[in-house]
Amino acid sequence: MRRPALLLGALAAAATLASATELRETVDTAMKSFLEGRYEDASSGFRYVSTLGVQLAEPEANLALCEREQGKVEAALPLWLRATLAEKPDGFVWNQRAWSYLALDRTQDARTAFLTAIDRSSTTATQAEAYLGLGIAALMHGDPRAAMDPLRSALVQGPFVLPEASRQTGLTALARRDLSAAMAYLRQSVELEPFGLEALEELAKLYEKIGDPRAAWRVYHRIVSLEPDHARASDKTKKLVKFIQGDPEAGLPLRRLSRPLLDAGGKGSLAPTRSSETIRVSLFAGREGTPHMATRAYFMSNAPFRIVALSGDVVKFDGRPQEQWEVLFRPEAGVVEVRDGARNIQYTAKQAFQILPEPPYGSVLLKSVKFLETFGFDAGDREVRGALEFQPTPDGFTMANELALESYLYGAVGAALPQGSPVEAYKAQAVVSRTVALWGKAFAKPTIQRTHLCDSDHCQRYAGVNEEMREATKGVAATEGLVLATKGERLARVAQHLHCGGRTESGAGRADATLADLVAVDDAASPAAQLRAPVDLERWTHEFPTRDSYCEAGGLHPQVQSRWMRVLDGEDIRRRVEKVKPVGTIKRLRVVRRSGTGRVLALEAIGVRGSVMLEGDEAIYDALSPSSLRSTMFTIQPIKGVGGTPRFVLWGAGTGHGLGFCKAGAVGQGALGRDYQKILSAYFPRYQLDDHLIKTRRPVDARAPGAPRKPKNPKFKKK
């Protein structure tokens, strides 16, 4: 009799196992549908799980999120109601119920739900979100007095909502006509989130209101630097100038230097590099990598220098160190003049020429450069090693720096990581930056400047000697010649970003096939919980980062790089979207496709007169918040706005595209004692370290006869 009983038990266990397997497969398929924007299919899967009465993956919450993503906020609310009736719902679920109320303009119900969330919260992140929601609900209800206390509570509860909480508190103070308090809170918001376009606009208008045109001009200038097509801000920068005495650009927070920092005798410097590799860098480049045009510049060398024409002829042999010279564009003649310290003309040119300081420790300081415009790039003074080149154009001149690759890396690596980063992080960064530089050199497009890289984040930031750090320089020297290569010993294509938010991104399936070997990794010592369902992604963007995340271990990157939230106005989005196509008032934003890590790959902006499909990071950034949206790892919660135009609350994680090397994570790993080889292998598991000491070139792959030739790619050999 026992054998049939055992058999029945085994069959029951097998049936249970099969049922569990089927359940997991259903959830996985539903999540795949969600990531691909097939929300009806995703809903069907989670609805099936819900009918089984199983609490796996929070089916009610997942159904609510599927409805929200389709723009069905009315259908999402009852699902959140049911989720809050489940056993022991936490503050996160109550917060989402409250935001759903705000989407339907039910502010009193939202207030009750947010208060419940505060009581049920087990984390300060959830409490901070609830307090912020209470403040926004009170403002929507037209009661700024009631908004002030919860917003102040949000300011002390959680670091990740601080910028938006400060902005909302500033708006509350404005509604109460307390201009001084509004000024303090809006400035705090901008200090915490320098890319916050919404706070910048409010701050600029407030400066105008109190009659400070110079301060207003500076803020509008900053807005145009972030969003060049911002018509109102651009117009304001032009109109406010007539109310400002003197040069308004003199008040910009630019780096100013009086004399070169580098010692011409080499005191405190490392031994010269053994490598003969050089690099050419465009200076004063914008976000697209294009150098800005100048009409006047001053320079000072730390050592005796020569002026060498494009032809190679030396036109000035005996330039004296520590003497300020001037380069001036003459539009009436279309030439560039070079004047010495006594303002005597020493050289006139229509072709490129170089200032060559005495090697090996010579440098040139560029000072007080006058540009045709100063929007969107670092226009501050900078000192550069090697040769400084001026390239005359019909409208002025551009500048480039030609120097030894390793000397370039001193500044590039120093600029890449926060001061005080561990030396192993600097070593890892040096290998990455060297690989980026050599890739740029191998695949540079022909330009009149003949440069390989630019000095902006479009390539990798570089400000010369100004941002060199002792530990960074040691990191460059310790890894001299080392690059990342493929298994076939070819130069690898790498990418880097500020903060991955806990997960890096995969390069597979992207339009740029050279990124295919970049894989998604969890930026932690132990694997993070996988995104099994939509609610996992929602919680990931709302909650604090996990404690074992490498991104958080370093403690040197601003917290806003890790988690952030923004409240975007639908009218601003319409204004940007309609540069592509007229769509009318924005009704909703629909995520069309996400990557496996949850990053938005395609977004549809739907208006009353049509819609626009936005594919790729740049298109999404330009529509939502140009140059200021921190990443595409975000979720979208609509709420009611003014005049029927909705607003959109974005909850996000990370800063940058998430591909390849996570700088915050590298700093964290270095702080935990991991060496640079382990740091690099964590982010580039398909690449290997290799030694670049020769300059042979060969094509990456064969091409059909008659097809355009590809740029050459270095082949590496080990020592």
Side-chain angles (χ1 to χ4, degrees), residues 548-594:
D548 63 345
S549 172
Y550 292 139
C551 303
E552 306 303 313
L556 296 178
H557 285 76
Q559 291 173 317
V560 72
Q561 290 184 9
S562 175
R563 294 292 186 274
W564 49 270
M565 64 90 62
R566 299 276 288 276
V567 180
L568 306 181
D569 191 273
E571 181 58 26
D572 288 334
I573 297 173
R574 181 202 62 78
R575 171 174 56 81
R576 295 169 186 138
V577 165
E578 290 201 332
K579 293 169 187 173
V580 179
K581 176 185 174 181
V583 297
T585 301
I586 298 294
K587 294 191 300 182
R588 66 188 179 96
L589 299 174
R590 183 176 77 91
V591 176
V592 177
R593 189 171 67 259
R594 292 181 184 272

Side-chain angles (χ1 to χ4, degrees), residues 283-357:
L283 301 179
F284 303 106
R287 65 171 183 165
E288 303 298 331
T290 305
H292 280 69
M293 201 75 63
T295 56
R296 172 180 285 172
Y298 296 93
F299 72 86
M300 182 183 295
S301 176
N302 73 339
F305 65 90
R306 295 172 293 156
I307 301 177
V308 181
L310 183 64
S311 63
D313 296 331
V314 179
V315 297
K316 179 70 177 176
F317 289 90
D318 54 352
R320 292 186 296 182
Q322 305 299 332
E323 184 178 276
Q324 182 166 289
W325 286 47
E326 180 183 17
V327 178
L328 179 65
F329 174 66
R330 289 294 188 184
E332 66 278 7
V335 299
V336 171
E337 295 177 350
V338 182
R339 297 172 176 263
D340 62 17
R343 303 209 77 245
N344 297 315
I345 298 177
Q346 295 291 335
Y347 181 55
T348 302
K350 286 190 176 182
Q351 299 295 321
F353 61 93
Q354 290 187 339
I355 310 301
L356 281 172

